[in-house]
Amino acid sequence: MYTGTPVTGGFGALVHRLRTEAGLSQEELAHAAGVSVRALSDMERGHTRGPQRRTVQALAAALSLDESGARELEHTASLGRPRRARITDAPAPTVVPDAVEQTAAPDLLPRAPRGFYGRATELDALSQAADGEAPVCLVVGPAGVGKTVLVLRWAHHNRAGFPDGQLYADLRGFGDTGEPALIEVLREFLLALGVPLGRIPESANGAAALFRSLAADRRLLVVLDNARNSEQVRPLLPGGRRCVTVVTSRHRLPGLIVTDAARSVAVDVLGPQDGTMLLAAVLGTERVNAEPVAARRLAELCDGLPLALRVVAARMTQRPGFSLEAMAAELSDETRRLSLLDVEDTGVQAALRVTLQQLPQDVSRQFAHLGRHPGTHVDRYAAAALSDTNPPAAEAALERLAVAHLVTETAPGRWTMHDLVRLYARSLDVAPEALKRVLDHYITTGLAAVAAAEPGNEECFPLPADYLPPVAVREFADRSAAVAWYAAERDDLVLAVAAAHAAGLHGRTWRLVLTLWPLIVWRVRDGWVSLLETGLEAARADADQHGESRVLNVLGWVLIEEGRIEEALTHLRAASALASRTGDPVAEANSLIVLAMAQAALGGLDEAAQGCERAVELARKADDRTIERLALQHLARHRADAGNWREALDTATEALTYDDRSGTADIPRILLLMVRGEALLGLGDKAEGIEQLDLAAREAESSGYEDGAVRALGVLLRVSADTKLQARYDAAVKRLTTRTSG
């Protein structure tokens, strides 16, 4: 309780004691009171014995002092102030909360948005985030996604929950007009709260302290729209425990989460149905319902971005006789889409341009290079190759772009862009070598994946003559890591092949196709023919007979698996002839092995065995143990299919001694175990035969080689009625069917 007795040690000692009792550091108290740490330090050391009254009031509010404690602090400060002579016309006293004029509850909110639809999940999330003591809610999302509209809708709907008023400020963090000065925003807030203009402190710190003091006992809603960073927001946070602050930003503002326990509400693009309903809310349901298919197509072409949908609606409003289908046809042209989604100075391009201008040059440069990526997802290695930098720098730029909602991290280490953002990135100028660099990145990484997935195999090809080496190449610890990379990157690799082919980079096109061969082997029924035909066309355009022979060989093998045997024979005979003509015994042996598969499929088992025997000779001549083992594997298969069990068993046993990689996902090994098991069954050794087939099946199951698992379990079911085998077989068939149909 205040007694009027001077405090021993003066103002500085009192502040130090109160701060210590409150458990605050100097930095925390200075931040809360809106004063500098140095100024507070000077006060506590006695260098500033009598600070101004508004500073004392700010400190009292920050220390949560009651009325008695605040009076004691002010009295102690007054003792250290210099005495002034009395004059008749004394200046007006510094404003205190008691001097605020009584006014109606302020309402600075812009009008409620029109044509609003959906967002029930986001509105509910905002309500939950606003619940509690003095919450700070961050509504974040990309440009044009409708953050402001969402917040204003929520604010107007919840007006009754803030009887002491609603304050609003557009911080213009992403505009061309410049950000408002902090003192300007505070002056508007204080005027709305009833402070006479002449009594508003001139300094931003003083005004901020007074604002916090006035808000202390009120239930206010403060909306801070379009904030660029956390520093812009902090001085505008009210001091009241019953106040709610809602901040919107294109950035995630992690600083506010750290210092003010801000709660984030993410706003993303609308789904096709909600996008269609937003069009209906603006254009009218009758016009949209008349062309439901075209309306949905428009929503998809606008990428679910509310800003884009509203621009389209504005264009349609100006052209009442224009059909939605015609508008969709115009937007389908990617070269015009972005320009059609701008009206005057408002639209997608304008919003994205301003967002990009706020970023450092190296980050905006990385963004522009992402536009040259042929696929939909990038990792840090691909991003680094595009911009000719190193992966750590590329990853840092990607993370900064993610904070600005220009890219989205869909999985750890993998980023993507919304379609309209990608189109904007593609419109920016970058070095013409960017596409070559990323293609060469994929070629180099593909070769590393081949080496890990199929160790011991020869390299598929020499690198292009104008090869552009990446700064760093991903390393694969083992086969499973390589296969995981193939599975994650498959769609983007296929798109890279298409981009290389469209750009006339034929040498890179067929090389990219061949880097996929381990995945083709693993998922042979996944529809590879079209891709391989593109590779074949590119190899011929590149006049590279070595590449042509290799692509023909893989294509022939896939055609066999699809049952198109005659087509396969044509390609495989050509592959064998090309390999022989170029003096490549390994390629010729490969061709003969696959050609034998086609011959066997047509019933020519003896002819197939002879071709594999010739392949064994060529492999031994080239001293290639891997191809020799592969030739022996196929020779064992053909001998088993012909019922030559002893020869099949001996051949398979011999091949298994070559580079035996038990415990790894080795397809040739699995197939050899299957041959051994069948041969043993044929020779009457049922127990050993079942054991070998079960081993083959388990290795296939554990490695994800579903086709092999189905084959091995199918043979087992012919000699065993074990219900567990049937369950394993059914599960393998289901996995295989699900994968190929997907």
Side-chain angles (χ1 to χ4, degrees):
M1 178 177 293
Y2 173 56
T3 63
T5 305
V7 176
T8 303
F11 180 80
L14 177 59
V15 171
H16 177 77
R17 176 172 64 79
L18 292 172
R19 177 176 63 78
T20 304
E21 290 174 353
L24 297 173
S25 66
Q26 280 191 345
E27 289 80 7
E28 289 170 334
L29 178 57
H31 171 70
V35 300
S36 70
V37 176
R38 181 174 180 179
L40 181 59
S41 176
D42 287 344
M43 292 178 205
E44 291 191 358
R45 288 184 295 170
H47 296 175
T48 306
R49 294 183 297 170
Q52 294 182 1
R53 184 174 297 173
R54 59 173 174 264
T55 300
V56 177
Q57 292 167 352
L59 288 169
L63 289 164
S64 300
L65 300 180
D66 57 18
E67 184 177 348
S68 175
R71 284 204 305 273
E72 180 181 7
L73 189 66
E74 167 56 28
H75 174 72
T76 305
S78 69
L79 296 177
R81 294 184 189 126
R83 302 289 180 180
R84 296 184 181 180
R86 294 191 61 181
I87 56 176
T88 304
D89 298 319
T94 304
V95 66
V96 296
D98 291 343
V100 175
E101 298 177 359
Q102 296 298 316
T103 61
D107 186 355
L108 300 184
L109 292 177
R111 64 173 175 79
R114 299 172 184 171
F116 184 88
Y117 178 80
R119 298 295 195 192
T121 300
E122 291 86 349
L123 288 168
D124 183 59
L126 183 51
S127 293
Q128 292 183 30
D131 187 27
E133 185 177 297
V136 178
C137 311
L138 292 179
V139 178
V140 296
V145 81
K147 301 179 292 296
T148 300
V149 172
L150 171 74
V151 170
L152 290 179
R153 172 77 169 198
W154 180 86
H156 281 278
H157 184 72
N158 291 277
R159 184 189 300 273
F162 303 99
D164 295 317
Q166 301 87 37
L167 304 178
Y168 172 91
D170 184 356
L171 302 184
R172 302 197 299 268
F174 304 94
D176 294 326
T177 57
E179 301 171 8
L182 174 60
I183 188 62
E184 293 177 7
V185 178
L186 288 166
R187 186 179 295 121
E188 185 173 4
F189 283 3
L190 291 172
L191 287 171
L193 292 172
V195 180
L197 181 60
R199 295 187 174 183
I200 294 177
E202 295 183 2
S203 72
N205 283 344
L210 179 56
F211 171 57
R212 287 191 294 272
S213 177
L214 290 174
D217 297 321
R218 305 191 190 202
R219 182 156 180 77
L220 291 170
L221 171 64
V222 180
V223 177
L224 304 175
D225 202 10
N226 293 310
R228 180 172 54 86
N229 54 37
S230 301
E231 291 75 14
Q232 194 184 19
V233 171
R234 287 194 184 100
L236 297 170
L237 297 178
R241 295 183 178 182
R242 298 188 300 151
C243 295
V244 173
T245 306
V246 180
V247 183
T248 76
S249 181
R250 299 178 191 180
H251 294 168
R252 293 177 182 168
L253 306 188
L256 280 182
I257 298 175
V258 173
T259 61
D260 295 275
R263 306 164 187 178
S264 184
V265 176
V267 184
D268 205 347
V269 297
L270 298 170
Q273 182 176 355
D274 282 347
T276 302
M277 295 308 295
L278 176 58
L279 280 176
V282 181
L283 289 175
T285 56
E286 183 177 349
R287 191 172 183 183
V288 170
N289 289 342
E291 298 181 81
V293 175
R296 186 179 180 89
R297 177 63 176 153
L298 278 175
E300 292 170 347
L301 289 168
C302 290
D303 206 17
L305 196 66
L307 174 61
L309 287 162
R310 292 179 182 277
V311 170
V312 166
R315 288 189 177 277
M316 297 297 296
T317 301
Q318 294 171 347
R319 304 158 79 178
F322 205 60
S323 69
L324 272 64
E325 183 178 0
M327 188 75 231
E330 287 190 355
L331 283 178
S332 296
D333 183 355
E334 289 191 354
T335 63
R336 300 180 58 207
R337 189 178 306 165
L338 284 176
S339 62
L340 290 170
L341 294 178
D342 279 349
V343 174
E344 295 181 346
D345 60 346
T346 301
V348 176
Q349 288 187 103
L352 291 173
R353 181 177 62 254
V354 172
T355 301
L356 203 60
Q357 288 172 350
Q358 302 287 338
L359 297 173
Q361 185 175 0
D362 62 319
V363 178
S364 59
R365 177 178 178 272
Q366 180 69 72
F367 175 82
H369 280 85
L370 292 176
R372 292 297 178 270
H373 188 264
T376 58
H377 290 77
V378 297
D379 61 13
R380 65 193 193 121
Y381 291 95
L386 282 162
S387 57
D388 196 22
T389 188
N390 58 70
E395 184 172 24
L398 286 166
E399 290 176 348
R400 187 69 181 269
L401 290 169
V403 168
H405 291 93
L406 290 172
V407 301
T408 302
E409 191 172 12
T410 57
R414 286 178 62 77
W415 290 266
T416 190
M417 290 177 167
H418 286 300
D419 289 343
L420 293 178
V421 178
R422 184 178 293 108
L423 282 178
Y424 180 69
R426 287 177 182 171
S427 72
L428 304 176
D429 291 331
V430 296
E433 295 84 12
L435 177 60
K436 281 186 179 180
R437 284 200 299 265
V438 76
L439 293 175
D440 288 347
H441 148 75
Y442 280 125
I443 290 172
T444 308
T445 310
L447 288 174
V450 169
E454 298 294 337
N457 281 279
E458 66 160 345
E459 290 193 0
C460 302
F461 43 75
L463 293 169
D466 59 344
Y467 170 71
L468 301 173
V471 173
V473 180
R474 178 189 290 272
E475 297 179 357
F476 299 98
D478 51 28
R479 182 192 303 269
S480 61
V483 171
W485 178 81
Y486 274 124
E489 297 288 348
R490 174 181 172 172
D491 292 342
D492 286 301
L493 289 168
V494 172
L495 290 169
V497 169
H501 190 54
L505 300 172
H506 304 302
R508 287 172 169 84
T509 302
W510 66 260
R511 285 176 169 86
L512 273 172
V513 170
L514 283 181
T515 61
L516 283 163
W517 76 261
L519 183 61
I520 295 173
V521 170
W522 277 61
R523 300 185 173 181
V524 65
R525 294 175 184 159
D526 276 10
W528 298 102
V529 171
S530 177
L531 181 77
L532 288 162
E533 287 175 342
T534 298
L536 179 59
E537 182 182 342
R540 287 171 175 167
D542 197 34
D544 191 302
Q545 292 186 335
H546 173 84
E548 183 181 354
S549 173
R550 294 300 175 93
V551 176
L552 280 168
N553 195 43
V554 180
L555 176 57
W557 185 66
V558 171
L559 288 169
I560 292 170
E561 292 294 326
E562 292 191 358
R564 298 158 64 176
I565 310 300
E566 294 297 337
E567 292 177 69
L569 282 170
T570 300
H571 290 312
L572 292 166
R573 286 171 179 146
S576 179
L578 277 171
S580 178
R581 190 159 58 244
T582 57
D584 187 343
V586 175
E588 186 179 357
N590 254 319
S591 300
L592 288 171
I593 291 168
V594 185
L595 179 60
M597 292 174 61
Q599 293 165 338
L602 294 175
L605 292 173
D606 291 340
E607 186 180 15
Q610 291 170 7
C612 286
E613 289 169 350
R614 171 61 179 158
V616 171
E617 294 175 6
L618 288 167
R620 287 173 176 165
K621 180 180 178 181
D623 194 25
D624 191 315
R625 298 274 287 180
T626 302
I627 296 299
E628 182 181 354
R629 176 179 182 239
L630 185 64
L632 287 170
Q633 170 212 316
H634 283 271
L635 178 58
R637 177 77 267 164
H638 300 317
R639 286 174 171 170
D641 289 343
N644 299 325
W645 302 120
R646 175 52 61 186
E647 291 179 338
L649 180 60
D650 292 344
T651 305
T653 302
E654 179 186 2
L656 282 167
T657 64
Y658 287 40
D659 188 24
D660 181 10
R661 288 171 283 173
S662 58
T664 67
D666 180 8
I667 291 178
R669 170 183 160 79
I670 292 169
L671 296 174
L672 283 166
L673 289 172
M674 289 170 57
V675 172
R676 269 183 58 85
E678 292 176 53
L680 287 165
L681 290 176
L683 292 170
D685 191 344
K686 184 176 180 181
E688 182 64 21
I690 289 176
E691 182 179 337
Q692 291 290 296
L693 285 165
D694 186 60
L695 179 59
R698 292 189 184 282
E699 289 192 13
E701 289 169 319
S702 65
S703 64
Y705 180 35
E706 310 300 354
D707 188 60
V710 169
R711 293 183 188 185
L713 290 167
V715 177
L716 279 171
L717 284 172
R718 292 200 293 269
V719 295
S720 173
D722 189 337
T723 55
K724 292 182 180 179
L725 286 176
Q726 185 66 54
R728 287 168 61 193
Y729 176 82
D730 292 342
V733 169
K734 183 177 180 180
R735 290 192 300 268
L736 181 63
T737 304
T738 301
R739 191 194 69 208
T740 54
S741 62

